[in-house]
Amino acid sequence: MSIRDKLVLILIAFCTNVLAISTTDINQNMNSLMNKVQQLNADLTSLNNKKRNLDNAINDSVIAINQSNKLLNTIKMQRQIDVEQLEQINALIPTIESTLNATKKNIESTAIIIYQQMIILQNQSKSIVSTDENSTIKRKQAYLNRLLVIEQGKYQILQAKLDQLIDINQRLQVEVNNLNARLIVTAEKQKQFESSKAINQQQVDQLQNKIVSKQQKFQQLLQQRAALNKLLITLSNNADNLPHIINESYRNGQKNKFFSQQLAKPINSKPALTYGAGFNGTIIKGVLYKVDKYPVFAIAAGVVKYAGTLQGFGKVIIISHNNDYMSVYSGVIPSVSKNQKVTLGEIIANSGTEANQPMGGVYFELRHLGTVVNPNALTD
């Protein structure tokens, strides 16, 4: 059954009250209940909006995490390629260095031999007069010079390759270091995204619990209010002696008579919540005292019509007074019984502790002809 359907049932109970509540009071009660529903709906809408925003934040976090995962994989793949190339180059460099050193020694050894042969040929050219022999010596010298140039060229080529590999090695090492830094930064961002997602999810869970709690409390309040109304209607006495139609002048006259007499406070303490205050997503129609082991007094002389347990209220005392008034005391430890007469200011109960106070305190309510009356005048 929806909240609106339950409200309709409660309103029907008001309208069919044997005490014939006036049209004005019915409209006031209807407006009051609708205001409660609107306020609760506004609270639930606000909580749902917050939850929706957090859900969007979680979705954004998931997208960011997926993107960071792709980036991490890309960086890792590139880093792996660079590391493999770096390992290959590092493996080649010692081989080339060894070859270069061996070639350098061979070139040095060959250069020495060539140089010695060139000196021998030069000495021979000085001692030989024949032109043909001199030409042969010059050709040998040119050949030896060419060999020397070739050996030097080999050395220069190997040295250039070694320098190139060392340069590539250094650049790859720089790139690997940069990739390592990017991996650290990206991994840190991913941790932040994961942490943000976890926090947002926790807040969503908390909001969801609040929404469920508010909905449950609202349903409980409606059920408790309906149960109290039903009990008060059942206990209403002298209904046959009341006018068939109770007009406003009669109601106001009775009200003036009741409040003009001496009345007592239900509890000698300052109320935690007064009539019309917000309470668990609704508006209370009485007074709530948060007290511990305080005496509870009858506000006026009367007869105890009910002394028992009512779900959601704990132990309840209902007293019928003159001028068609009833007073309700809930969350108490009664010291009176049904049909017992009480006097003004008589101790009728003890507040006890929170253990016997389902509403978090002693709840007092005043009714006239079945309609809730603002009791704040009794608490000033």
Side-chain angles (χ1 to χ4, degrees), residues 93-342:
I93 286 176
T95 302
I96 294 177
E97 285 180 338
S98 176
T99 303
L100 185 64
N101 290 331
T103 303
K104 183 178 180 182
K105 289 180 181 179
N106 290 334
I107 291 172
E108 289 175 350
S109 176
T110 303
I112 291 171
I113 294 172
I114 291 173
Y115 181 72
Q116 290 174 350
Q117 290 180 356
M118 289 179 67
I119 292 174
I120 292 171
L121 290 173
Q122 187 176 4
N123 292 331
Q124 289 177 352
S125 65
K126 291 179 179 179
S127 61
I128 296 175
V129 180
S130 171
T131 303
D132 292 336
E133 290 179 353
N134 192 28
S135 297
T136 300
I137 290 172
K138 286 183 179 181
R139 284 196 299 272
K140 288 182 179 181
Q141 286 178 336
Y143 174 70
L144 291 173
N145 282 330
R146 180 60 180 167
L147 288 177
L148 185 59
V149 170
I150 290 172
E151 292 298 325
Q152 289 176 342
K154 290 179 180 178
Y155 176 79
Q156 291 172 352
I157 291 171
L158 286 173
Q159 184 64 52
K161 287 184 177 180
L162 180 62
D163 292 341
Q164 185 180 7
L165 285 174
I166 291 173
D167 180 65
I168 293 173
N169 177 275
Q170 291 174 346
R171 285 190 283 111
L172 279 173
Q173 189 62 57
V174 170
E175 185 173 351
V176 169
N177 292 338
N178 291 336
L179 289 173
N180 286 335
R182 288 183 65 189
L183 278 173
I184 293 172
V185 172
T186 305
E188 185 63 31
K189 286 184 178 180
Q190 188 180 33
K191 287 181 181 179
Q192 292 175 357
F193 290 142
E194 292 284 359
S195 176
S196 176
K197 177 187 174 184
I199 293 172
N200 288 334
Q201 186 60 56
Q202 185 180 12
Q203 291 177 349
V204 166
D205 294 340
Q206 290 173 351
L207 281 175
Q208 185 61 42
N209 290 336
K210 285 183 179 180
I211 291 172
V212 172
S213 177
K214 274 187 173 290
Q215 290 173 337
Q216 290 175 346
K217 286 180 179 178
F218 186 71
Q219 293 296 328
Q220 290 172 359
L221 285 172
L222 290 178
Q223 293 171 0
Q224 293 165 11
R225 172 63 59 185
L228 182 60
N229 285 334
K230 182 178 180 181
L231 177 61
L232 287 168
I233 291 171
T234 303
L235 296 175
S236 296
N237 58 350
N238 299 324
D240 295 336
N241 298 326
L242 293 175
H244 182 66
I245 299 177
I246 301 174
N247 56 37
E248 291 300 320
S249 61
Y250 176 83
R251 185 184 300 276
N252 292 333
Q254 296 293 85
K255 181 177 181 181
N256 291 335
K257 288 180 183 179
F258 183 79
F259 278 98
S260 64
Q261 65 181 328
Q262 184 180 357
L263 300 172
K265 292 182 178 181
I267 291 180
N268 287 326
S269 178
K270 185 177 180 180
L273 294 173
T274 56
Y275 180 88
F279 180 71
N280 288 340
T282 184
I283 298 174
I284 65 170
K285 292 297 183 179
V287 178
L288 186 67
Y289 294 91
K290 292 190 176 183
V291 291
D292 190 4
K293 298 181 180 179
Y294 267 60
V296 181
F297 305 98
I299 63 168
V303 179
V304 176
K305 290 296 182 180
Y306 182 82
T309 303
L310 190 62
Q311 186 176 2
F313 292 90
K315 295 288 185 180
V316 177
I317 299 173
I318 299 176
I319 300 176
S320 175
H321 306 286
N322 57 4
N323 304 114
D324 306 311
Y325 272 83
M326 280 189 174
S327 57
V328 181
Y329 315 76
S330 70
V332 298
I333 301 175
S335 57
V336 293
S337 56
K338 185 178 179 181
N339 296 325
Q340 180 178 336
K341 292 182 179 181
V342 296

Side-chain angles (χ1 to χ4, degrees), residues 50-64:
K50 290 180 181 178
K51 181 177 178 295
R52 190 178 301 109
N53 291 336
L54 286 172
D55 286 336
N56 292 335
I58 290 174
N59 291 334
D60 292 341
S61 298
V62 171
I63 293 173

